[in-house]
């Protein structure tokens, strides 16, 4: 067997193994969009809270007790955050699905296949656990932990699901986890870290992935 | 070198069969239609290669139903995984030998 044939064979094995496990229709651009939605949501939250609480945003999150809690918890404050958070989430997911489908169509790929199913299944557990955890935090009034928890569970979901899509996603996941842990050290600045993790990091990674994978360069 | 050549598995001489085995080694299981889509082959072509691999006992079949639709999944057997790994080793050894 010639040298080149052997190399071809080895690389075709690697290639098909990757193609069979990885969901490569995932759109990097949707990460950028999600980042923008998150930043807008964070700015809106920052602007709207003083209206509802008569206190400055930082005053609202002051440590009154030994545990990380919150001074003010009226219903309007509560609803604003939830509505904003859910809107950002829904918009991001919708944009993600839409752009991914569009990218798959453009590249002649099938969006719904074994790797996309595995991708969703792997990411679902940390997200579900995180979602429940955050709802309980909201209900119990431990608002100071919500931003770190969002970041950490999201990062865990990304790191787990990255096995079934672009490996780069794992690094985004790890950054989110790290950011979430740092955020726990600064309970006053939850919204800032939320904006950094869901806003800035997404725009950064989304841009990198867009230029690496989404465009019509034949190398990929 | 003759010694090295005998480690190459005849079952994997065909490119499609090698690819099928690669997919099944990289995934817990894979269904017929996903294989067909991935490898871009026809129903009949794929079926005959799968039969050949089944005959060697390198893969096993699991037939089930998703609601009313029949679903056929394939898994690599322990024998198949071992054979595949040996084949890969043989390929890598050949490269190393030729590099001297």
């Amino acid at each position: 067997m010639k040298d080149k044939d052997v190399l071809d064979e080895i690389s075709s094995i690697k290639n098909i193994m990757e193609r069979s496990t990885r969901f490569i229709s995932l759109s990097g651009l949707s990460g950028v969009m999600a980042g923008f939605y998150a930043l807008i949501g964070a700015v809106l939250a920052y602007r709207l809270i003083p209206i509802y609480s008569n206190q400055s945003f930082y005053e609202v999150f002051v440590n009154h007790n030994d545990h990380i809690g919150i001074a003010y918890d009226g219903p309007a404050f509560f609803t604003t955050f939830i509505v904003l958070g859910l809107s950002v989430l829904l918009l991001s997911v919708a944009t993600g699905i839409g752009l991914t489908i569009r990218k798959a169509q453009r590249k002649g790929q099938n969006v719904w296949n074994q790797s996309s199913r595995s991708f969703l299944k792997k990411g679902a557990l940390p997200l579900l656990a995180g979602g429940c955890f955050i709802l309980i935090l909201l209900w119990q009034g431990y608002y100071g932990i919500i931003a770190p928890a969002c970041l950490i569970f999201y990062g865990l979901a990304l790191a787990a699901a990255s096995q079934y899509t672009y490996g780069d996603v794992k690094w985004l996941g790890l950054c989110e986890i790290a950011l979430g842990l740092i955020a726990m050290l600064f309970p006053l600045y939850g919204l800032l870290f939320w904006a950094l993790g869901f806003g800035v990091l997404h725009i950064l990674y989304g841009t990198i992935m867009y230029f690496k994978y989404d465009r019509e360069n034949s190398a990929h | 070198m003759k010694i090295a050549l005998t480690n190459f598995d005849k079952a994997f001489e065909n490119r499609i069969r090698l690819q099928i085995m690669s997919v099944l080694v990289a995934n817990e299981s894979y269904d017929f239609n996903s294989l067909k889509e991935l490898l871009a082959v026809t129903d009949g072509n794929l079926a005959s290669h799968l039969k050949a691999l089944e005959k060697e006992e390198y893969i096993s079949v699991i037939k089930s139903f998703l609601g009313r639709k029949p679903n056929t999944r394939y898994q690599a057997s322990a024998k198949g995984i071992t054979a595949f790994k040996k084949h890969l080793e043989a390929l890598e050894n050949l490269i190393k030998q030729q590099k001297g």
Side-chain angles (χ1 to χ4, degrees):
Chain A
M1 242 195 237
K2 279 196 232 132
D3 220 12
K4 186 177 180 299
D5 291 337
V6 181
L7 283 174
D8 275 348
E9 188 136 318
I10 294 183
S11 71
S12 99
I13 292 175
K14 279 173 67 175
N15 181 275
I16 197 93
M17 281 178 142
E18 288 258 314
R19 276 201 297 134
S20 72
T21 49
R22 292 194 187 271
F23 174 48
I24 58 173
S25 305
L26 194 63
S27 158
L29 194 59
S30 64
V32 180
M33 296 308 298
F36 278 124
Y37 299 149
L39 285 179
I40 295 172
V43 168
L44 280 175
Y46 184 70
R47 287 270 160 88
L48 291 175
I49 298 309
I51 296 174
Y52 283 110
S53 73
N54 292 332
Q55 299 161 286
S56 82
F57 187 80
Y58 293 137
E59 278 178 323
V60 171
F61 284 95
V62 164
N63 256 342
H64 273 331
N65 312 308
D66 281 331
H67 72 267
I68 296 170
I70 192 170
Y72 178 87
D73 60 352
F77 167 85
F78 196 76
T79 337
T80 311
F81 259 132
I82 300 213
V83 167
L84 274 174
L86 282 177
S87 317
V88 168
L89 179 64
L90 285 169
L91 268 172
S92 302
V93 171
T95 310
I97 294 176
L99 287 177
T100 298
I101 292 178
R102 200 182 72 164
K103 177 182 168 192
Q105 281 172 347
R106 201 165 24 95
K107 298 210 170 184
Q109 296 159 355
N110 226 321
V111 179
W112 191 238
N113 57 24
Q114 184 141 331
S115 38
S116 49
R117 278 196 291 262
S118 305
F119 170 74
L120 289 175
K121 271 196 245 176
K122 270 278 169 137
L125 181 61
L127 285 177
L128 271 169
C132 294
F133 186 67
I134 289 160
L135 284 175
I136 295 174
L137 287 175
L138 273 167
W139 179 47
Q140 301 265 295
Y142 291 104
Y143 299 119
I145 315 186
I146 290 179
C150 284
L151 291 167
I152 293 176
F153 279 101
Y154 181 60
L156 288 171
L158 285 179
S162 69
Q163 184 190 357
Y164 290 105
T165 183
Y166 297 112
D168 313 61
V169 171
K170 188 175 89 164
W171 294 103
L172 175 60
L174 292 175
C175 287
E176 303 280 8
I177 294 173
L179 201 61
L181 290 172
I182 297 172
M184 275 301 286
L185 298 170
F186 299 97
L188 301 175
Y189 298 91
L191 191 62
L192 176 67
F193 281 101
W194 196 93
L196 279 173
F198 291 105
V200 175
L201 277 183
H202 273 119
I203 293 178
L204 181 67
Y205 268 89
T207 311
I208 293 174
M209 284 176 61
Y210 174 71
F211 284 109
K212 210 171 163 189
Y213 302 114
D214 288 13
R215 300 200 303 171
E216 296 291 348
N217 41 0
S218 48
H220 296 288
Chain B
M1 290 189 93
K2 285 214 179 120
I3 305 164
L5 282 170
T6 55
N7 279 337
F8 290 116
D9 202 319
K10 287 222 111 201
F12 302 137
E13 225 155 72
N14 180 287
R15 182 52 75 95
I16 305 276
R17 283 181 210 173
L18 181 64
Q19 290 183 324
I20 293 174
M21 208 64 219
S22 308
V23 172
L24 293 180
V25 164
N27 294 271
E28 264 203 49
S29 68
Y30 229 70
D31 70 273
F32 185 85
N33 287 318
S34 302
L35 275 171
K36 194 175 81 174
E37 210 182 284
L38 188 68
L39 301 173
V41 289
T42 60
D43 274 346
N45 199 356
L46 182 60
S48 73
H49 288 307
L50 286 168
K51 267 245 140 52
L53 286 172
E54 250 184 286
K55 220 177 129 206
E56 295 290 330
E57 294 178 337
Y58 284 171
I59 64 177
S60 59
V61 200
I62 308 162
K63 295 196 184 177
S64 65
F65 279 91
L66 282 182
R68 315 195 83 197
K69 275 180 71 183
N71 179 264
T72 310
R73 307 192 68 83
Y74 293 88
Q75 281 179 323
S77 65
K79 186 176 174 195
I81 295 175
T82 313
F84 182 75
K85 285 192 180 157
K86 269 183 73 182
H87 186 85
L88 268 184
E89 270 172 26
L91 285 170
E92 286 165 357
N93 282 333
L94 197 62
I95 301 258
K96 282 191 214 149
Q97 278 169 3
Q98 290 183 352
K99 286 210 164 134

